[in-house]
Every structure is written in structure tokens, then in C-alpha cells.
Amino acid sequence: MSEEQARAGGDSDQQAGGVRSVRRAFDILTLLTEDRPVITLREITESTGLAKTTALRLVQTLEETGLLGSHPSGYIAGPALWRWAYLARSQWEVPQETRKVMRDLADRLGETVNLFVARGVSRICVAHEESPHPLRHVVDVGDEQPLWAGASSKILLRDASEVFLLRVAAASPQGEAYVERLRAWVTEAAERGYAVSSSEWDEGLTAVAVPVTGRTGKVAASLSLSGPSHRFPYEAVERFATALTEGAHLISGQGFSHPLSSAV
């Protein structure tokens, strides 16, 4: 083996090790949740399968960079995460005018209102206003759901190319043959101006969605209403779709755009 080949092989090994370390560090950080704001070294090793020495070395590095902080019971999110979260919120949070439209809809219609944008073969919730009912559908901001199911997906795929539809279908349990169903759903939603889904993604859940368009007239987001199916009889769906369409027009008129949205 030449010196150049040996050097290239060494660089490749270092890069692979670096990527692996980043992935392991990320796995540790994802153990922190609202329900578990403090994690112990034992929880880290048990959840990740890392050796104690490896986990301790990664934790120390995360502490040095401010991504983790020490706590009497273990480790908590560090100040660097707080800074990044603040930055992400300032860039990704939708305008207050949009939130007001969504809050008015949730109060008036009595169901949860969500705003989704397409990102790859998924859709991401970028804003939501919860239903006043104790029994309600909850999607947290930042949650990802697949584009192959749900009322919002049928809206977000309206301007999708055939190649992209095939990508979405391939990601579904049914495979590429599912593209025929997707195409039919998207066409139907475009013709009537709104989409409906029932138990397509969550069992017992019905959703109604309409398009929010950008300055170019293409779909920039979907505005949806969701809740238990028994509260979505046919006559209510028509009323919900009308109210959502009015709200979507207001949001579109505000010049809606979002940095997480990607073209389909």
C-alpha cells in the first residue's frame, strides 16, 4: 500500500469515527425530554449501550461545549442548547398574525388547528392551537408525520412532480404502487379545495385541511382541523372546510413563508 493510500485510509477511519461520535453525542442529548429533564450516567449507558468510559468521555465533552450541564442528580440541558433553541424559535416561529387566525378558528370550531409544511417526504407541524375540549388531538410543534397519509399531505402534494410522488409512495408501507392512490387523493383535494382523512394516520382521528399559498400561488403550507372522528359528521366537515378556507386566505394574504418548508 502506498503512503498516499495509507493516509487516505487513515483519514477515512478518522472521519468515520468522528461521525460515530457525533451520532453518539446526539443519542445522549435526545434522552432529555420534558418528562425526563435530568439524566444519569447509568441511564445513558443503559439507553445507548455505550461503555461507561465512552459515555463519560462524551458527557464531559458535551459539558465543555455547554450542551450538557451538571446537576446533583445527573445531567441537564446546557446553556448552549438554550441559545440554539432561542435562535430556532426566532427563525421558525410563525407570525403572531398567523397564530391569531389559528386561535380564532380553534375557539370558534372547537377543534385543534395545525399548520404543516412539507420537508422532504415528511410534513412538519410549525404551529398549532389546541381544542378547548378535554378529549382532543394534540400534535406538538416540530412533530414530523409522513406525506403518504393524512388530509394535510393531500394538500401539500398538490404541486408535487410525478418523480416526487413516487418518492413519497416508495416511503409508504405499500411501496411505489401506492402512487396511484396518492395521485387520486391529490387530484380530488385540488378539485374541491380541501382534503379529508379519517384514521389514515391516527386511528379514530379525522382531519380537514386546506391550502395556504405563497406569493407564487403554490402551496406553502396546509391549515388543518383535527379531532375525534365522532365530532366530524359530514355536515360539520363542510362547515369546517369553509371556515378553514377563510382562515387560509387571511394567512396567505399575510405573505406566509417558512424556512423549514421545502419544494415538492
Side-chain angles (χ1 to χ4, degrees):
M1 180 184 293
S2 68
E3 183 178 345
E4 289 77 7
Q5 289 175 320
R7 188 183 303 114
D11 290 344
S12 178
D13 289 342
Q14 289 179 356
Q15 290 173 359
V19 171
R20 185 164 57 248
S21 295
V22 171
R23 169 56 65 181
R24 287 171 170 175
F26 181 78
D27 289 341
I28 292 172
L29 292 174
T30 56
L31 295 176
L32 292 167
T33 65
E34 290 186 21
D35 296 328
R36 185 167 62 177
V38 182
I39 53 175
T40 65
L41 185 61
R42 181 176 180 178
E43 287 174 325
I44 292 172
T45 57
E46 290 179 349
S47 298
T48 63
L50 294 172
K52 185 176 179 179
T53 53
T54 302
L56 185 59
R57 185 172 65 252
L58 287 168
V59 164
Q60 290 173 340
T61 301
L62 290 171
E63 279 191 279
E64 291 171 2
T65 56
L67 296 174
L68 281 182
S70 295
H71 185 273
S73 300
Y75 304 95
I76 60 175
L81 285 178
W82 188 13
R83 183 174 68 252
W84 290 351
Y86 181 81
L87 175 63
R89 180 177 180 180
S90 66
Q91 291 183 329
W92 298 346
E93 194 168 50
V94 301
Q96 287 301 312
E97 295 85 352
T98 299
R99 295 295 297 269
K100 183 179 184 306
V101 172
M102 296 175 65
R103 185 67 257 165
D104 289 346
L105 286 169
D107 290 339
R108 180 154 49 97
L109 303 178
E111 302 296 347
T112 298
V113 178
N114 296 310
L115 193 66
F116 284 95
V117 298
R119 183 73 175 177
V121 294
S122 301
R123 51 188 168 101
I124 301 176
C125 179
V126 295
H128 75 154
E129 293 293 336
E130 292 187 5
S131 162
H133 292 293
L135 178 62
R136 58 182 180 265
H137 179 230
V138 178
V139 178
D140 292 326
V141 172
D143 280 358
E144 290 190 38
Q145 297 178 357
L147 272 176
W148 49 261
S152 287
S153 296
K154 300 169 188 178
I155 294 298
L156 293 170
L157 290 173
R158 190 187 74 179
D159 301 316
S161 66
E162 187 67 18
V163 171
F164 188 78
L165 281 178
L166 282 170
R167 278 185 59 198
V168 174
S172 75
Q174 294 82 1
E176 288 191 0
Y178 196 59
V179 72
E180 297 295 335
R181 173 66 65 85
L182 285 177
R183 192 183 298 112
W185 276 346
V186 172
T187 300
E188 180 183 16
E191 289 176 350
R192 67 182 180 184
Y194 67 91
V196 182
S197 64
S198 184
S199 297
E200 289 180 10
W201 178 240
D202 289 323
E203 189 65 32
L205 173 75
T206 294
V208 183
V210 300
V212 172
T213 56
R215 292 184 176 86
T216 63
K218 290 189 174 184
V219 176
S222 73
L223 182 67
S224 68
L225 195 74
S226 58
S229 295
H230 69 268
R231 296 206 298 256
F232 281 69
Y234 177 79
E235 59 274 13
V237 167
E238 293 289 329
R239 178 168 57 86
F240 291 162
T242 299
L244 282 172
T245 300
E246 293 172 354
H249 284 161
L250 290 174
I251 295 173
S252 298
Q254 296 166 0
F256 178 84
S257 64
H258 197 278
L260 283 181
S261 179
S262 61
V264 298

